[in-house]
Amino acid sequence: MRNEESPVLPSSWLAGMYPRRGGTAVPPPVGVKDAVKKFERLVATKAGDLAESLARPETDPEVREAAEGFLADGTAAVAPLGAAAVAAKVLRKLAGSRVDTAVVADAWIAARGPVFAAVAAAELVELRVGEPGARFHQRHEPVVRRLPAESGNLDWMPILGRVRAHLVHEADPSPVRAALAPVRAARGPLSQAAAAFLLPECTDWVDEDVQAANAAGKGDVARLVLWSLGDEQQLDRFNPAYWREFNPAYWREHLTESDASLATVLDGVGAAIVPVLDERMGMLPTWRGDELARIATALAALPDDTAFLALAAHAAQPHALLALFDAAQRSPARAIRLLEGFDGPAGALSEAYAAGYAGEPLDEGKAPAPLDGGPVPELPGWADAAILPRVRLLGGGVLPVDAARRLVSLLSRSRAGAAPAGLAEVVAACDRASLAAFGWALFQRWQSIGMPSGATWAMHGLAWIGDDDVVRRLTPLIKVWPGTGGHQRSVAGLSVLTGLGTDVALIHLNDVAEKVKFAGLRSSARGMLHTVASRLGLTGEQLADRLVPDLGLDTGGGLVLDYGPRRFVVGFDDQLRPTVADEAGKRLKSLPKPGARDDATLGPAAYQRFTALKKDVRTLAGDQIGRFERAMVTGRRWTADEFASFIVGHPLVRHIARRLVWTSTVDFRVAEDGSYAGVDDDTVKLAGDAPVWVAHPLRLGDVARWAEVFADYELLQPFPQLAREIYALTPEEAKATGLTTFDGRVVPSGRVLGLERLGWSRAAPQDNGHQPWIERPLPDGARAYVRVEPGFSIGRPGEHPEQTLHALIVSRTRMGYWRNATGDVELGAVDAVAMSELLRDLHGLSRP
């Protein structure tokens, strides 16, 4: 178990943090192998440049003398200033290369010890190579002291940080302090701040530097002082003049600009930083996600009530909530104590922790073999199984918490289309509804922390442990995610529907393929449906027949809802809307809610059953009615056996079939008992392989008589069939290759877009995403085209309120920006039904 009172900084932060004596324990730096020889080789390769640079009259005399002594002597008596000057010149020449600057610090320490290295590092920061403001290396540049008014050069910060990391592990820092004291006395503010940075435990130095930085100084000095702060009082006083000129709170930008910076200050001042981070988290915009995540992680690292409460206050932000999960997992007792009374995400977490860690104990059963025994995995706080719903076992009891943690770990290996090994055995041992609730709660945790891509497994796992209720909840999210940049996430969601493979899942997959407004997502859904169809050896249309669920209806297409002392019968109208009647057959406006006299178990269950039925039918109705209308227009055929099995024999679809006229060897309708009847109510028999299709009124023998039959039986049609408008070409129009009837007609853009429901589509995007025509495929392989002006834009289809239509063209060659007329077809050669439907669609654009 973790120590709840110890700060827990991410391991990735420790590598960049500047450690301090008495702070977070870090191992000693691993010295660069042969550092002294490597540095000597670097110096030797630049010897000529060094000598000429030092000889320049602009070079500071003290610096020249110390550097020449270092190059000539190499003994322990050499001044650290000489080593710093040589390092400055060598590093300037190597700027932008991949040379590890740690070799400099390690060479100094290995050859001359930590005291020498500390002084050399403090001297280095005030040396400048080249003219002021020079950005690129030039040969023979002088080495001069930096003027107090000049900015520093923290390009050499890795050397200071490396030396500081070595000094932390020195048993006695007093010799280092004694050696740095003259540097602080003799040098400028940058070297002074560097000395305090190297020994931040010298609080008197840090106090002096805070006061000096507040009065005047440059930004680089302020950074060194920031990374030296060691207590609450220093933090409260710190407000550097250089940053204050921009904004009194500007230094906070630099506090949270990197993991290393924040970790260093956090290690120095501890929980005193909480008010600063709390304020910063509240003012940052959401697009500063990296910084928000960094602040939240820092707050979660502190074993302090104020830090925990700060996270809870910002729990509406995904980064804060993710960190709050981790902090709560680290200290469940603190979470239960502090989160009580919160609303929103923090309140939900409070309830979960109260139930998971302080609730009534439940009888635990025997975990299935893949979850029984072995190490308990360490999970992120948001995925802690202790705060997820308990999974019931078919053998009795609930899944033990440690086994549930192993289940989460197992699910974390989920990938699209690939279930983790052993999961099938787990699923077989668990109650599916409670397992699905467990998976959905885990998914919601992932959703609440911003759905990081690295944890998409929380959604993939639903493919193996979800149920139809999960499908109903997930599909609306799949449909909207692409609008917020989540296309890949939606595609992953489609793989969940495919993996579940239930009738309801495939229906919703088909719904996405047909209805969603995002073309890329529609294409992905259709591809997955095609894969399913190919696996089953079916066409897409045949698969669609098999995708319609029966929704638990009886063979007659109805449903009895049992409240105990009373019952209700569910039927469907011409638009597949559920209807309710009492046992006497009296039609009711709606299903009444269970009352006090109804059975306490049966009544609510039946009411909930009807609520779910309405939701499912709402998804299905438009698709199914539209499917049969398209079948009438395109002339799709079924065999009589398919028709009997998947249309008439289906308890839901039969309600549509009974309200249409069908054609085979004769015209017929489907009677209430499922038999087939002709226009004179004579019985019709069909051979098993006889073709069956929805009759189009243009080819129906006696439309008027059929209309009388349907009126007699009070059968309302789900779409216009018997009363459908019929259109035909004149002899002159039939000989033409273009129909000008609609040329110049101005229609609302919304109605043109609405044609997509009838099988039309906009042109493939041309230059700049322009779509200058609409088109529709015809049964014989040709396509109908109508140019529209000004046309549509792929990203803004509703940009123009109106469109002007041009001539209707039918062609066997694809339309381009510049039309190729070689494939144009005489309009009279087009199937009469297809032409009637084209004209009906176009006339409908301007119909009142």
Side-chain angles (χ1 to χ4, degrees):
M1 293 292 291
R2 295 188 182 104
N3 180 354
E4 291 188 0
E5 301 307 317
S6 302
V8 184
L9 290 173
S11 57
S12 60
W13 287 22
L14 299 181
M17 183 185 75
Y18 303 124
R20 64 175 56 234
R21 192 180 303 274
T24 300
V26 294
V30 178
V32 176
K33 185 178 180 180
D34 298 327
V36 175
K37 291 182 178 179
K38 288 179 179 178
F39 183 61
E40 288 175 349
R41 284 198 295 270
L42 286 175
V43 173
T45 59
K46 312 302 174 191
D49 283 354
L50 276 167
E52 294 190 41
S53 290
L54 294 174
R56 291 283 297 273
E58 299 93 337
T59 296
D60 185 286
E62 183 185 9
V63 172
R64 179 188 301 116
E65 181 180 355
E68 289 175 344
F70 179 84
L71 292 171
D73 193 310
T75 67
V78 170
L81 175 60
V86 171
K89 177 61 182 176
V90 170
L91 292 173
R92 169 70 168 167
K93 181 67 179 286
L94 297 173
S97 70
R98 295 188 177 184
V99 172
D100 185 3
T101 53
V103 71
V104 177
D106 286 6
W108 288 345
I109 289 174
R112 306 181 188 279
V115 173
F116 180 95
V119 176
E123 295 276 21
L124 176 63
V125 295
E126 284 209 347
L127 297 180
R128 173 171 54 77
V129 180
E131 301 299 327
R135 296 179 59 193
F136 302 104
H137 167 71
Q138 298 176 7
R139 295 188 66 188
H140 318 320
E141 294 172 308
V143 183
V144 299
R145 286 201 177 279
R146 195 175 306 279
L147 298 175
E150 292 182 37
S151 294
N153 186 351
L154 292 191
D155 289 344
W156 296 330
M157 194 64 213
I159 295 177
L160 267 73
R162 184 77 170 182
V163 173
R164 172 165 159 168
H166 279 288
L167 294 179
V168 166
H169 297 279
E170 287 297 305
D172 182 9
S174 57
V176 180
R177 177 183 172 109
L180 286 173
V183 175
R184 285 185 59 86
R187 304 304 184 203
L190 194 56
S191 286
Q192 293 169 2
F197 169 83
L198 292 169
L199 286 181
E201 61 266 31
C202 296
T203 56
D204 55 331
W205 288 359
V206 179
D207 288 338
E208 293 171 4
D209 290 345
V210 168
Q211 184 175 355
N214 288 350
K218 292 294 184 178
D220 291 334
V221 173
R223 274 192 174 89
L224 288 175
V225 178
L226 174 66
W227 296 330
S228 305
L229 299 177
D231 58 43
E232 184 175 0
Q233 291 72 31
Q234 291 174 351
L235 177 68
D236 288 343
R237 294 196 307 272
F238 183 67
N239 193 6
Y242 180 76
W243 292 333
R244 196 167 61 241
E245 294 175 4
F246 299 95
N247 185 309
Y250 190 64
W251 68 270
R252 291 167 172 79
E253 292 273 354
H254 300 280
L255 167 67
T256 58
E257 68 184 0
S258 68
D259 296 346
S261 177
L262 184 52
T264 300
V265 180
L266 184 67
D267 193 42
V269 305
I273 199 69
V274 170
V276 176
L277 298 181
D278 184 14
E279 179 187 9
R280 184 119 184 98
M281 176 163 271
M283 64 184 290
L284 284 176
T286 55
W287 57 266
R288 300 276 287 270
D290 289 347
E291 195 169 348
L292 286 168
R294 187 175 297 123
I295 294 170
T297 301
L299 289 170
L302 289 165
D304 180 84
D305 285 1
T306 58
F308 194 93
L309 289 171
L311 283 174
H314 296 289
Q317 296 183 16
H319 301 294
L321 184 58
L322 173 60
L324 184 62
F325 276 122
D326 289 338
Q329 183 190 42
R330 198 172 298 130
S331 179
R334 176 177 283 119
I336 294 171
R337 174 169 54 86
L338 295 180
L339 290 179
E340 185 177 1
F342 272 88
D343 295 324
L349 185 59
S350 172
E351 294 175 3
Y353 264 86
Y357 283 92
E360 291 294 326
L362 300 174
D363 291 334
E364 295 184 341
K366 173 69 173 174
L371 307 180
D372 191 19
V376 178
E378 186 170 330
L379 302 167
W382 65 268
D384 184 2
I387 59 172
L388 295 173
R390 302 301 293 270
V391 177
R392 295 191 301 276
L393 295 166
L394 295 179
V398 298
L399 194 66
V401 173
D402 283 349
R405 290 191 172 108
R406 295 187 187 98
L407 173 57
V408 174
S409 180
L410 189 62
L411 290 170
S412 71
R413 298 194 285 274
S414 296
R415 298 295 181 268
L423 186 57
E425 185 178 349
V426 174
V427 172
C430 298
D431 168 72
R432 189 58 182 256
S434 66
L435 189 61
F438 177 90
W440 184 253
L442 181 64
F443 166 82
Q444 287 183 305
R445 296 278 189 244
W446 172 70
Q447 191 180 18
S448 70
I449 61 168
M451 298 175 286
S453 58
T456 308
W457 55 263
M459 179 166 58
H460 286 311
L462 293 173
W464 324 118
I465 66 173
D467 61 6
D468 288 344
D469 190 49
V470 165
V471 172
R472 297 183 188 104
R473 293 179 176 188
L474 182 62
T475 303
L477 300 175
I478 292 172
K479 291 179 177 180
V480 301
W481 278 335
T484 55
H487 171 76
Q488 292 301 324
R489 192 184 310 128
S490 287
V491 173
L494 294 178
S495 72
V496 172
L497 303 185
T498 305
L500 280 168
T502 65
D503 287 346
V504 171
L506 292 177
I507 288 164
H508 282 75
L509 180 62
N510 187 63
D511 184 56
V512 173
E514 295 295 329
K515 286 186 175 181
V516 78
K517 66 180 180 179
F518 302 105
L521 187 59
R522 282 203 310 271
S523 177
S524 296
R526 288 168 181 167
M528 292 186 186
L529 282 173
H530 179 74
T531 300
V532 173
S534 298
R535 187 169 67 234
L536 299 175
L538 303 171
T539 66
E541 291 176 333
Q542 289 173 321
L543 177 64
D545 291 336
R546 291 155 175 79
L547 287 181
V548 187
D550 60 21
L551 301 182
L553 303 177
D554 58 36
T555 55
L559 177 67
V560 176
L561 299 174
D562 188 358
Y563 277 29
R566 53 182 180 156
R567 291 176 175 80
F568 304 92
V569 179
V570 176
F572 297 88
D573 66 11
D574 58 299
Q575 296 299 310
L576 284 188
R577 289 183 293 254
T579 62
V580 180
D582 61 19
E583 290 182 278
K586 180 182 177 182
R587 181 86 171 261
L588 304 179
K589 185 176 180 180
S590 62
L591 178 69
K593 291 184 177 181
R597 297 182 179 180
D598 295 317
D599 187 280
T601 301
L602 294 177
Y607 190 84
Q608 186 176 6
R609 172 77 179 83
F610 184 67
T611 300
L613 175 69
K614 288 193 296 182
K615 289 181 181 179
D616 289 339
V617 172
R618 191 179 302 123
T619 299
L620 286 168
D623 289 343
Q624 295 306 311
I625 292 172
R627 192 161 71 93
F628 286 104
E629 185 172 15
R630 287 193 299 274
M632 180 187 72
V633 171
T634 61
R636 185 208 164 174
R637 263 58 169 172
W638 290 264
T639 66
D641 285 343
E642 287 177 325
F643 181 69
S645 297
F646 301 114
I647 308 302
V648 179
H650 194 283
L652 181 65
V653 177
R654 72 194 315 266
H655 291 285
I656 300 175
R658 287 192 57 240
R659 298 174 181 274
L660 297 174
V661 180
W662 298 83
T663 294
S664 181
T665 52
V666 294
D667 301 331
F668 68 94
R669 67 179 179 88
V670 178
E672 188 172 3
D673 62 0
S675 62
Y676 307 151
V679 71
D680 295 319
D681 271 345
D682 50 314
T683 301
V684 173
K685 300 290 186 180
L686 300 177
D689 59 353
V692 178
W693 63 95
V694 182
H696 192 281
L698 191 63
R699 300 225 170 95
L700 191 57
D702 194 334
V703 174
R705 288 187 65 198
W706 275 113
E708 290 177 5
V709 170
F710 272 59
D712 290 343
Y713 282 97
E714 298 183 345
L715 294 173
L716 297 177
Q717 295 201 292
F719 57 83
Q721 183 192 28
L722 297 176
R724 198 175 193 84
E725 304 92 334
I726 301 298
Y727 294 90
L729 299 169
T730 66
E732 292 77 15
E733 290 171 339
K735 295 177 182 178
T737 56
L739 183 64
T740 59
T741 302
F742 308 100
D743 200 355
R745 188 173 295 185
V746 178
V747 299
S749 292
R751 289 195 175 184
V752 179
L753 293 172
L755 290 178
E756 294 182 7
R757 298 193 305 272
L758 303 176
W760 292 79
S761 61
R762 284 170 279 157
Q766 308 296 302
D767 291 346
N768 298 317
H770 186 219
Q771 297 173 301
W773 68 81
I774 57 174
E775 59 184 77
R776 177 174 172 172
L778 300 177
D780 63 353
R783 301 181 80 84
Y785 298 94
V786 177
R787 286 190 177 271
V788 291
E789 193 176 351
F792 298 96
S793 172
I794 184 67
R796 302 183 303 277
E799 180 179 13
H800 303 290
E802 294 181 328
Q803 299 289 333
T804 299
L805 304 181
H806 292 282
L808 170 66
I809 303 294
V810 176
S811 179
R812 297 194 181 279
T813 58
R814 296 305 298 260
M815 178 76 76
Y817 206 84
W818 304 106
R819 195 169 77 81
N820 181 358
T822 56
D824 288 2
V825 175
E826 284 190 6
L827 299 181
V830 177
D831 175 77
V833 169
M835 180 55 68
S836 178
E837 291 298 321
L838 289 175
L839 297 177
R840 180 177 184 271
D841 293 345
L842 296 174
H843 278 294
L845 293 176
S846 53
R847 188 176 294 127

